[in-house]
Amino acid sequence: MRSRDFDLEFRDRAVKVRSWGVGLLVAAAVLWIWAAKELFIPREPDLQEIVTVLGASIPVSVAGGSLFTIGIVSRRMSAHSQAMRELDKLAASSKD
């Protein structure tokens, strides 16, 4: 596999990982909004259910934040690597 093809495939995987992270963060936000709605609407809130939902949202938000960060960093590293290869080619061609 050529370097460019591998780099494009790497970037596509990074975008997919970032998208999964965004999806999990959105799911966690939905859980937080639901818990806030249950807590602040003027009726008897079931605190055990609210705490359970908030507890379940913690691993979802941590996983989402981690995947989002991994996707962003991977994409940036790929772009930096490509820029360095292009600079190396320019430097090599200017020496000739």
Side-chain angles (χ1 to χ4, degrees):
M1 182 178 268
R2 298 183 60 159
S3 174
R4 178 173 167 75
D5 295 336
F6 179 77
D7 194 43
L8 291 175
E9 183 180 322
F10 183 82
R11 288 184 187 195
D12 288 340
R13 283 191 311 244
V15 169
K16 288 178 186 176
V17 168
R18 185 186 66 193
S19 298
W20 271 100
V22 168
L24 288 174
L25 287 172
V26 167
V30 168
L31 292 173
W32 296 332
I33 291 168
W34 180 85
K37 178 190 74 80
E38 289 293 315
L39 190 60
F40 293 118
I41 287 185
R43 63 181 176 91
E44 287 292 321
D46 183 10
L47 291 180
Q48 183 178 4
E49 184 180 10
I50 294 171
V51 170
T52 302
V53 169
L54 288 176
S57 73
I58 292 171
V60 174
S61 61
V62 168
S66 299
L67 288 175
F68 181 77
T69 303
I70 289 168
I72 292 289
V73 169
S74 296
R75 178 117 172 131
R76 295 286 306 259
M77 285 174 38
S78 176
H80 175 73
S81 177
Q82 180 182 1
M84 293 303 293
R85 282 192 303 271
E86 289 175 6
L87 286 174
D88 287 344
K89 283 180 185 178
L90 286 175
S93 66
S94 68
K95 286 183 181 180
D96 293 335

